[in-house]
Amino acid sequence: MTAVLTAVATAFFSVPPMEVCHTAPLVEVQHSALQPVAVVRSVALREQRSRRTRSAKALTRGSRKSRSGVHSSRSKRRRGAQSRRQASPLRWEKLLDTLLADGVRYQRYWVTGAVGQRLHVLRVNLQEPSLELMLIPSAPGQQQGLSEIVRRYDSLNVTRTVIAAINGYFWNRRGLPVGITASDGELLQLHRYKRWSAVVGDGRGRLVLDTFLLSVWVRFSGKDRIPLAGVNARQMPDGIVLYTRAAGDTIPRLRSVRVSLFDEDNPDSLVVETVPADTLEQRLWKLQLRSLREPALNRSVPCQVIGVDSGAVPVPLRGCVLSLGEDIPLQERLRIGDTVWIESSVSPPVPFAVRHIWSGTPQLLRNGRLSITAEREGTVLWRFLHRRRPRTAIGWNRSREFLLVVVEQGEGSAGATIPELARLMQRLGAQWALNLDGGSSSGMYVRGGDPIGNARPVASALAVVQRRLWSTP
């Protein structure tokens, strides 16, 4: 019987006997002579389809691998070309190199790479004993051009003169600094903004770049320290607020004023706002203080009480005004001639008295390496980081050479992105660097030269100051 079935299968389907015997069990062909033929045919068709399916899958996998390999190689080529463009050496051409004063040089570069960039660089050697690096705010309640800020400073100081300057800190619509700020030992802004970085310095060449916190207390004789609630603005009736001359000559403001302010959304346009009179501050008691030591932060400064009054009071020269909130009824126990201590500290600590603090974002370099800390500092706006625009930055190295840099935009110069700015500062020799206010605020002043960059009024200048030497007859 088996032989007959095998012969029939071979004649009709040309299927080898071994394959039939392997795929069709004998128990299934015991009932009919036609049943084994159907079974054998079905098994053969299934195996043929299975072989075709496996072959098609193999071809598909090979095709996919081939296509993915092509796409992968293309992506790798694109990334390689992009990295080569970014890492390709820039061509630097020095256009100008001028000695402005002992220890101060002005240089102008044209850098050619993916785009053309014009750089203005101040190289300052603070080992020269007559030089200082100072933060100079504009007139209270105003924004001024760099030349105006310099002229005002020179007119008020007979012992110092400005050699050169760049625009300084970021500022809001009312001209108030953004982030911790101090100028010549006087506090302008107490609170840190987000996790922005700041530079603290003694004015003589010692600078530290970090994400600082500043704490300030007021200590009365025999009393515990009371933390300061604010600087140059009161938000609530409680607590102690300190006012410096940056807030105006008189505290508080008795009349509403109309001021012209730059629109945040459109820096090229002006808006006019009415600032109301400060009625809350007017009814609180105030202490007029005069510093008994050179004003500075990160130490204790004794001050003498020279006036106790409510209402409007003038801010003393070399002094400040303390406004006592409703929860601090000390005016009855304080007398003219008493001593009050203003104590402060920065964290992380620094080993010197701090005279200047300015904030910026993001850090660009640390210990000579690229270290752009934008995400950590909360600076995530794409167009701020990656769109080419005018830029201002400060950098320095271990030799106490300081770099004040402006990257211009216009007349063929493309400006810079934040990563491009970091690489430019590194190429110029900086080991630490911080981005300052840029865009339409970016500019430079050089004594005896034309204004550089934008002419928009700003809130401060970061200036190289030389002490005047007086000759005796």
Side-chain angles (χ1 to χ4, degrees):
M1 185 65 179
T2 304
V4 173
L5 293 175
T6 303
V8 172
T10 304
F12 283 90
F13 304 103
S14 300
V15 179
M18 292 298 295
E19 186 173 341
V20 174
C21 294
H22 176 72
T23 57
L26 293 179
V27 294
E28 295 185 4
V29 298
Q30 293 179 357
H31 301 289
S32 171
L34 297 178
Q35 185 179 9
V37 176
V39 171
V40 170
R41 184 177 181 179
S42 175
V43 170
L45 290 175
R46 283 200 303 269
E47 288 195 353
Q48 190 175 8
R49 290 169 185 162
S50 177
R51 284 195 296 271
R52 289 175 180 172
T53 302
R54 287 195 297 269
S55 177
K57 289 182 177 179
L59 289 174
T60 302
R61 284 194 298 268
S63 175
R64 288 176 180 172
K65 288 181 180 179
S66 177
R67 289 196 298 269
S68 65
V70 171
H71 292 314
S72 176
S73 62
R74 288 176 182 171
S75 300
K76 288 179 180 179
R77 285 197 297 271
R78 291 194 193 102
R79 290 194 296 268
Q82 184 177 3
S83 64
R84 283 193 298 274
R85 285 195 299 268
Q86 293 177 351
S88 60
L90 301 175
R91 187 166 62 87
W92 288 68
E93 180 183 359
K94 185 182 290 186
L95 304 177
L96 186 63
D97 191 343
T98 303
L99 183 67
L100 301 179
D102 290 342
V104 184
R105 302 192 73 87
Y106 165 69
Q107 298 174 334
R108 186 187 306 155
Y109 292 92
W110 181 262
V111 181
T112 304
V115 294
Q117 296 165 316
R118 184 165 46 251
L119 275 63
H120 303 272
V121 181
L122 292 171
R123 292 186 180 271
V124 185
N125 183 4
L126 288 187
Q127 294 186 21
E128 173 63 37
S130 64
L131 297 178
E132 296 182 49
L133 190 61
M134 302 189 67
L135 183 65
I136 305 174
S138 60
Q142 301 180 33
Q143 290 83 54
Q144 300 173 305
L146 284 175
S147 299
E148 294 178 83
I149 294 176
V150 169
R151 282 197 297 268
R152 177 175 176 270
Y153 179 85
D154 285 344
S155 66
L156 297 175
N157 290 270
V158 297
T159 60
R160 294 184 177 97
T161 184
V162 175
I163 301 297
I166 59 174
N167 60 293
Y169 50 69
F170 288 86
W171 47 284
N172 60 22
R173 290 180 60 186
R174 298 186 181 278
L176 301 177
V178 178
I180 304 170
T181 311
S183 170
D184 208 14
E186 290 191 349
L187 190 58
L188 306 182
Q189 177 59 266
L190 174 63
H191 302 294
R192 183 175 69 183
Y193 181 69
K194 295 183 179 179
R195 287 185 56 84
W196 280 21
S197 296
V199 176
V200 301
D202 64 352
R204 302 295 178 87
R206 287 191 292 182
L207 296 184
V208 178
L209 172 62
D210 215 322
T211 51
F212 287 101
L213 288 173
L214 177 64
S215 301
V216 183
W217 302 270
V218 178
R219 181 165 60 87
F220 301 96
S221 180
K223 301 290 183 180
D224 294 333
R225 299 190 304 180
I226 301 175
L228 207 62
V231 173
N232 292 335
R234 178 175 286 281
Q235 305 296 332
M236 54 197 330
D238 295 338
I240 298 178
V241 175
L242 182 146
Y243 290 91
T244 65
R245 294 187 65 83
D249 296 332
T250 302
I251 304 299
R253 184 179 54 258
L254 298 179
R255 298 186 304 273
S256 61
V257 294
R258 290 174 64 82
V259 294
S260 296
L261 304 170
F262 284 95
D263 190 353
E264 288 180 336
D265 299 325
N266 185 7
D268 295 325
S269 64
L270 289 171
V271 295
V272 178
E273 290 188 2
T274 299
V275 180
D278 193 346
T279 56
L280 173 62
E281 192 65 81
Q282 186 174 354
R283 57 189 172 86
L284 298 177
W285 284 90
K286 303 167 190 68
L287 305 179
Q288 294 170 280
L289 305 180
R290 177 168 293 143
S291 299
L292 300 178
R293 184 187 298 174
E294 183 180 21
L297 299 171
N298 203 39
R299 70 177 185 182
S300 178
V301 177
C303 302
Q304 186 179 41
V305 179
I306 61 173
V308 181
D309 202 351
S310 61
V313 299
V315 181
L317 293 173
R318 289 184 52 83
C320 60
V321 170
L322 284 183
S323 171
L324 306 179
E326 295 176 349
D327 60 333
I328 306 177
L330 295 175
Q331 67 278 359
E332 296 179 358
R333 296 192 293 273
L334 290 171
R335 299 290 183 267
I336 294 176
D338 289 350
T339 302
V340 175
W341 286 265
I342 298 179
E343 302 176 348
S344 58
S345 66
V346 295
S347 177
V350 295
F352 52 82
V354 175
R355 295 183 58 220
H356 301 280
I357 306 176
W358 58 90
S359 297
T361 186
Q363 291 184 35
L364 303 173
L365 300 174
R366 177 169 287 275
N367 291 319
R369 297 184 177 182
L370 295 176
S371 177
I372 301 175
T373 58
E375 185 175 355
R376 188 185 72 187
E377 296 179 16
T379 306
V380 295
L381 191 63
W382 186 92
R383 65 176 180 267
F384 174 81
L385 297 172
H386 300 289
R387 183 174 294 175
R388 290 192 178 97
R389 57 185 301 191
R391 301 284 181 178
T392 302
I394 180 175
W396 65 93
N397 56 34
R398 291 187 177 89
S399 300
R400 294 178 67 186
E401 181 186 51
F402 292 84
L403 301 170
L404 308 181
V405 178
V406 167
V407 183
E408 199 175 349
Q409 187 177 60
E411 298 182 2
S413 180
T417 66
I418 287 295
E420 289 172 346
L421 181 63
R423 288 190 288 272
L424 292 171
M425 296 297 292
Q426 187 181 47
R427 175 65 177 80
L428 287 167
Q431 293 177 296
W432 291 268
L434 176 67
N435 177 62
L436 301 177
D437 190 16
S440 56
S441 297
S442 187
M444 179 180 288
Y445 164 86
V446 175
R447 187 174 62 181
D450 296 329
I452 296 170
N454 296 298
R456 171 186 174 179
V458 293
S460 67
L462 187 57
V464 183
V465 176
Q466 185 179 47
R467 286 189 294 278
R468 290 170 173 160
L469 301 178
W470 300 96
S471 60
T472 56

